[in-house]
């Protein structure tokens, strides 16, 4: 994002929004107790990396990307070996939080921290997308709504799957929109990469597949009316690239 396009007051607002997002999330993440889902999810990524056990029951609930993410800052911590002997995320979560020798508050906070950082990044994507569509003031207004959205405040500081899939679905749509506008190969590959990441976040992201196909078909027929020489093989090839990169 090129901040040179913004005036001084607008830059101040952007920095203020980022500060509000960070401060609110850090306070909430530190003060709020562990949620029901987090009890199973926290430490699961570290367990999978340590054991290589993809038949772990938590993986049956959701794809593993959010588990790896919530364990990012837990890697340096030395958990007891008995944790890796039990094939149940609920029991392991309880052991990690309350019997690992580390403060439960510290473990929960470290697990939530990567999602807070993603929330900051997503706010910039919201700003950029709205700016691209409707101009700088609309981008700032969209960022304002994002910053104080109760849904964002509720989920962006939890070590669960919902915010992660929101992040990757939004970013996938952003790059796919860019591709529809400029048809640059860079945006085609970025669409595929983030589509794949979305699939690794939560099963609900499958909705992106028919959405991308439908929009690509609509764009193809729209362009074909203008230029009848466009080959359908071009559409098929581009969709193939997106899904090949994703999967």
């Amino acid at each position: 994002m090129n901040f040179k396009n913004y005036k001084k007051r607008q830059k101040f607002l952007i920095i203020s929004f980022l500060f509000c997002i960070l401060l609110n999330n850090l306070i909430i993440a530190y003060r709020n107790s562990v949620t029901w889902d987090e009890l199973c999810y926290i430490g699961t990524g570290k367990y999978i990396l340590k054991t290589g056990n993809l038949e772990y029951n938590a993986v049956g609930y959701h794809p593993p990307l959010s588990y790896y993410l919530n364990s990012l800052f837990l890697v340096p911590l030395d958990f007891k070996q008995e944790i890796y002997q039990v094939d149940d995320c609920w029991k392991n979560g309880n052991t990690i939080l309350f019997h690992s020798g580390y403060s439960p508050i510290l473990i929960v906070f470290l697990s939530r921290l990567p999602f807070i950082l993603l929330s900051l990044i997503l706010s910039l994507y919201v700003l950029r997308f709205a700016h691209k569509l409707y101009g700088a003031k609309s981008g700032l207004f969209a960022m304002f709504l994002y910053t104080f959205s109760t849904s964002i405040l509720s989920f962006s500081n939890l070590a669960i799957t919902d915010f992660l899939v929101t992040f990757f679905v939004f970013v996938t749509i952003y790059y796919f929109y860019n591709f529809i506008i400029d048809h640059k190969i860079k945006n085609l590959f970025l669409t595929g990469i983030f589509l794949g990441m979305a699939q690794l976040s939560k099963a609900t992201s499958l909705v992106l597949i028919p959405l991308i196909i439908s929009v690509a078909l609509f764009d193809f027929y729209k362009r074909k009316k203008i230029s009848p020489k466009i080959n359908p093989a071009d559409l098929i090839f581009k969709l193939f690239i997106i899904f090949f990169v994703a999967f």
Side-chain angles (χ1 to χ4, degrees):
M1 178 178 291
N2 190 355
F3 284 97
K4 293 180 181 179
N5 297 329
Y6 293 95
K7 299 176 182 178
K8 286 186 178 180
R9 289 183 180 179
Q10 293 174 331
K11 291 178 182 177
F12 174 77
L13 284 174
I14 292 171
I15 294 171
S16 298
F17 291 148
L18 289 171
F19 178 76
C20 286
I21 293 168
L22 181 62
L23 183 63
N24 284 334
N25 279 330
L26 288 176
I27 292 172
I28 294 170
Y30 181 78
R31 297 188 61 177
N32 284 11
S33 62
V34 64
T35 63
W36 174 262
D37 289 344
E38 284 180 309
L39 184 62
C40 170
Y41 299 164
I42 287 176
T44 291
K46 186 169 182 176
Y47 172 91
I48 296 172
L49 288 173
K50 184 77 173 181
T51 65
N53 180 17
L54 287 174
E55 294 183 358
Y56 194 52
N57 61 341
V59 182
Y61 303 146
H62 298 290
L65 185 57
S66 66
Y67 304 145
Y68 293 135
L69 188 65
N70 75 46
S71 294
L72 188 62
F73 295 112
L74 298 181
V75 171
L77 303 186
D78 186 21
F79 293 153
K80 298 176 181 178
Q81 288 300 313
E82 63 190 63
I83 292 173
Y84 306 111
Q85 308 302 320
V86 180
D87 192 17
D88 184 271
C89 67
W90 303 102
K91 293 179 181 178
N92 283 339
N94 185 71
T95 303
I96 289 170
L97 285 175
F98 304 111
H99 305 287
S100 66
Y102 297 97
S103 165
I105 295 175
L106 174 65
I107 293 174
V108 171
F109 181 77
L110 290 177
S111 299
R112 292 170 171 175
L113 189 56
F115 298 86
I116 294 173
L117 298 178
L118 279 184
S119 180
L120 292 170
I121 297 171
L122 183 56
S123 71
L124 295 175
Y125 270 104
V126 169
L127 169 68
R128 190 172 184 177
F129 202 177
H131 184 169
K132 187 182 290 286
L133 290 172
Y134 305 112
K137 291 182 180 179
S138 296
L140 289 169
F141 184 61
M143 193 176 186
F144 165 77
L145 294 177
Y146 174 93
T147 301
F148 299 103
S149 165
T150 53
S151 295
I152 297 300
L153 288 172
S154 298
F155 288 97
S156 62
N157 46 66
L158 297 177
I160 56 177
T161 58
D162 301 87
F163 184 76
L164 187 64
V165 72
T166 299
F167 176 88
F168 284 119
V169 166
F170 187 90
V171 176
T172 300
I173 292 173
Y174 170 78
Y175 284 114
F176 184 60
Y177 170 82
N178 285 346
F179 170 72
I180 291 297
I181 296 300
D182 58 27
H183 290 275
K184 289 183 179 179
I185 195 70
K186 176 188 76 171
N187 290 320
L188 186 70
F189 276 95
L190 286 171
T191 299
I193 290 170
F194 285 102
L195 174 62
M197 300 295 273
Q199 303 309 305
L200 288 171
S201 302
K202 197 171 185 178
T204 49
S205 62
L206 287 169
V207 70
L208 283 172
I209 296 174
L211 176 65
I212 287 173
I213 294 173
S214 299
V215 173
L217 285 170
F218 177 80
D219 177 65
F220 172 77
Y221 286 112
K222 182 179 177 181
R223 290 189 298 123
K224 194 170 180 62
K225 287 182 179 179
I226 300 172
S227 178
K229 294 182 179 180
I230 295 177
N231 194 328
D234 179 63
L235 170 66
I236 296 171
F237 175 73
K238 288 176 180 176
L239 287 174
F240 172 79
I241 291 294
I242 290 175
F243 294 120
F244 179 80
V245 172
F247 297 102

